[in-house]
Amino acid sequence: MPRALRRSLVPLAAVSLAGVLQAQTPVASITFTDVTRAAGIHFRHNNGAFGKKYLPETLGSGVAFLDADGDGWQDLFFVNSTHWAGQKRAPSRSALYRNRGDGTFDDVTVAAGLNVDVYGIGVAAADYDNDGDVDLYVTVLGGNRLFRNEGGGRFADVTSRAGVGAPGFSTCAAFVDYDRDGDLDLFVCNYVTWSIATDLHCTLDGKNKSYCTPESYQGQSPMFYRNRGDGTFEDVTRAAKLYDPTSKALGVTLIDFDGDGWMDLFVANDTEPNKLYHNDRNGTFTEMGVVAGVAFNEAGVARAGMGVDAADYDGSGRPSLVIGNFSNEMMALYTNEGNGLFIDEAPTTTIGRATLLTLTFACFFFDYDLDGLLDIFAANGHVADDIEAVQPNVKYAQPAHLFRNLGGRRFEEVTSKVGRPLALPRVSRGAAYGDYDNDGDLDLVVTANNGPARLLRNDGGNGNTSLRFLLRGSPSNRDAIGAKVQLLVDGKPGPWGVVKSGSSYASQSELPLTFGLGRRTQVSGARITWPDGQVESLPALGANQVITIQQGKGIVRTVAR
């Protein structure tokens, strides 16, 4: 369908909310400062490469911001891979860094019981058993792991008992209460059917072995686990109509794209059509990617989808999608038109032009300058370390992208304006955002394939004001994943966000929601729609606070920054 015709189908009732907040409140200077060493973080990813060019080595791994000990400070969990069997080297393990609250972190991996030697790729964090502590799910090549947070700084491997460790080539995961029963269910992305025994010989130059593309291997269906509420899960992949052996999934995000209050799923596939699963409210999903216009690019070709996120970036009141794709494909920015259709705005915007030659893994919406408009971050790096031999214009190590939202569905790339760390070429993979220093603005953490992670502090973003919300559900799931918070500005509906697990690439950002307010000192109030459908309203709120809300009890704590 032509773009112009599809535009004409937008309902006349659709009203932009972009002007509710001052769209472009300038901040004097914002810099992302590399504080990795000063913060005491020494994590380095190991992909196990030793010359064999095994496919999993290209994927790298993810990272999560989470408050593991419930002290109000965001901790960090880095996923690591490991050496291949037969390589006599010291083991490499994932790492949990506890936030000391003074700008530094302490490596507590061993004490936490998380020093396991697996070929890890992704992570999702949530309180799956509603006991008040955030648990960890790690996706692994050969068998995933669920670590239950027992409190007191300790985690226990409960994979076998929970029934969520099926072997496969898993990449990303997300917790979601798809049936709204108060217990978090689990969606797990799988990539391709691969093993050392079935590894293929691929080449770029006709002589030397190169990394194969996923097109060389058969896909692998994602897995969907329903939480029974007793610490165990049941595999409902087929019953939920999510079984898809053609899938080669690298990204998943929660998105209620039709606004019916039931959480849907979007899956980014690598060289296969993307999937948009509509929640039918009866325990099943209906795949709608093709009819919604998000399965392929505008030429009808499946792209190499990597990371993905969903949010209302244009103030339309509807969630749109951003997707990281391969080099020579551009990122996708699928704008939700409100009539069941999405349109990719990237090709006609700065985003498309800037990302033509980069290969994006992690990507997400976040408001780095707190002006009330959601910006876009992209972590880039190629998968072939010899790509320049055949494509001189495409580099293995690549700078990141930071796109500032100017309103009106327009963006400006500001990577070179926010400090050197983002502009340095890296082979980046996972990324997440979180306010680790509790100063009100959002910081970044980025992993590198077979390289060191970086913690990038946002210096200057809090020149604008903000509000942060920490939600506690009951009878909804304790982390309130799926809850929607909408601000009221001058008495009108304003910006909104959803508490989400997953998104990005193999990573997870913090669960608290941060709203930039520009120069405003207060908002008229807020409306919370809990995952079970219950709605609560809050009175006028002053800026620069962290507000904790308990379902059914309203505001139970406020902390000024």
Side-chain angles (χ1 to χ4, degrees), residues 438-497:
N438 281 349
D439 67 350
D441 55 26
L442 296 173
D443 312 297
L444 294 169
V445 61
V446 185
T447 68
N449 188 21
N450 215 37
R454 294 175 296 148
L455 178 63
L456 307 177
R457 187 181 64 209
N458 184 332
D459 291 331
N462 58 11
N464 281 329
T465 61
S466 66
L467 271 173
R468 284 170 58 79
F469 292 86
L470 178 61
L471 273 57
R472 290 287 176 253
S474 179
S476 294
N477 68 88
R478 181 255 183 187
D479 283 333
I481 289 174
K484 175 182 177 180
V485 177
Q486 181 160 37
L487 301 185
L488 300 178
V489 182
D490 296 332
K492 301 176 183 178
W496 59 276

Side-chain angles (χ1 to χ4, degrees), residues 26 32 56 68 71 99-100 103 128-129 144 165 177 197 199 420 453 475 478 483 531:
F32 282 94
D71 65 353
N99 192 332
R100 293 191 179 109
Y128 79 91
D129 54 359
N144 304 327
D177 184 5
D199 184 67
R420 190 164 176 261
R478 181 255 183 187

Side-chain angles (χ1 to χ4, degrees), residues 38-39 73 98-106 436-437 457:
W73 296 85
R98 180 182 177 274
N99 192 332
R100 293 191 179 109
D102 61 0
T104 66
F105 292 78
D106 183 27
Y436 86 91
D437 51 1
R457 187 181 64 209

Side-chain angles (χ1 to χ4, degrees), residues 154-464:
R154 291 286 302 178
F155 287 79
D157 188 335
V158 295
T159 311
S160 296
R161 177 179 183 274
V164 290
F169 190 165
S170 298
T171 54
C172 57
F175 286 98
V176 56
D177 184 5
Y178 84 109
D179 51 4
R180 305 207 320 187
D181 67 351
D183 296 310
L184 287 172
D185 312 298
L186 179 63
F187 184 91
V188 182
C189 297
N190 285 318
Y191 195 38
V192 297
T193 302
W194 178 93
S195 68
I196 291 178
T198 60
D199 184 67
L200 301 174
H201 181 91
C202 299
T203 180
L204 288 176
D205 60 10
K207 296 181 296 183
N208 300 302
K209 185 180 181 183
S210 298
Y211 288 110
C212 293
T213 68
E215 295 163 304
S216 304
Y217 297 95
Q218 182 180 341
Q220 195 173 75
S221 177
M223 302 289 289
F224 193 53
Y225 297 99
R226 180 183 175 273
N227 191 332
R228 293 190 179 104
D230 60 358
T232 69
F233 293 77
E234 61 175 322
D235 181 354
V236 295
T237 310
R238 292 179 184 270
K241 299 183 180 179
L242 292 171
Y243 181 74
D244 177 15
T246 69
S247 182
K248 299 176 182 180
L250 289 178
V252 60
T253 192
L254 313 185
I255 176 173
D256 180 10
F257 76 93
D258 57 354
D260 67 353
W262 292 72
M263 199 56 65
D264 312 306
L265 297 167
F266 179 86
V267 177
N269 278 316
D270 189 358
T271 70
E272 292 290 333
N274 298 322
K275 299 299 174 69
L276 178 61
Y277 293 106
H278 177 260
N279 190 329
D280 294 330
R281 311 188 201 180
N282 60 2
T284 68
F285 292 81
T286 298
E287 206 289 297
M288 303 182 65
V290 174
V291 297
V294 295
F296 307 99
N297 66 10
E298 289 201 333
V301 177
R303 290 184 275 193
M306 310 288 182
V308 61
D309 194 20
D312 179 12
Y313 83 92
D314 60 352
S316 65
R318 301 180 294 269
S320 296
L321 291 160
V322 62
I323 307 170
N325 292 313
F326 213 75
S327 53
N328 297 307
E329 290 185 340
M330 300 184 185
M331 289 178 65
L333 179 60
Y334 284 111
T335 299
N336 188 338
E337 298 296 332
N339 52 8
L341 293 173
F342 290 74
I343 293 178
D344 188 0
E345 302 283 350
T348 59
T349 66
T350 298
I351 292 175
R353 293 188 293 271
T355 62
L356 179 59
L357 296 180
T358 49
L359 194 164
T360 298
F361 271 82
C363 59
F364 47 74
F365 297 102
F366 78 133
D367 188 0
Y368 84 96
D369 53 2
L370 301 181
D371 67 350
L373 296 175
L374 292 177
D375 313 298
I376 294 174
F377 176 78
N380 307 313
H382 211 277
V383 296
D385 53 6
D386 51 358
I387 187 62
E388 293 176 51
V390 292
Q391 296 186 47
N393 291 331
V394 178
K395 308 301 180 184
Y396 182 50
Q398 302 171 356
H401 291 304
L402 180 60
F403 296 104
R404 181 169 183 256
N405 192 334
L406 302 177
R409 298 182 177 177
R410 296 176 300 117
F411 288 85
E412 168 195 14
E413 183 170 16
V414 295
T415 310
S416 62
K417 299 179 181 180
V418 294
R420 190 164 176 261
L422 289 189
L424 286 174
R426 308 273 186 176
V427 187
S428 299
R429 291 296 186 260
Y433 62 83
D435 183 11
Y436 86 91
D437 51 1
N438 281 349
D439 67 350
D441 55 26
L442 296 173
D443 312 297
L444 294 169
V445 61
V446 185
T447 68
N449 188 21
N450 215 37
R454 294 175 296 148
L455 178 63
L456 307 177
R457 187 181 64 209
N458 184 332
D459 291 331
N462 58 11
N464 281 329

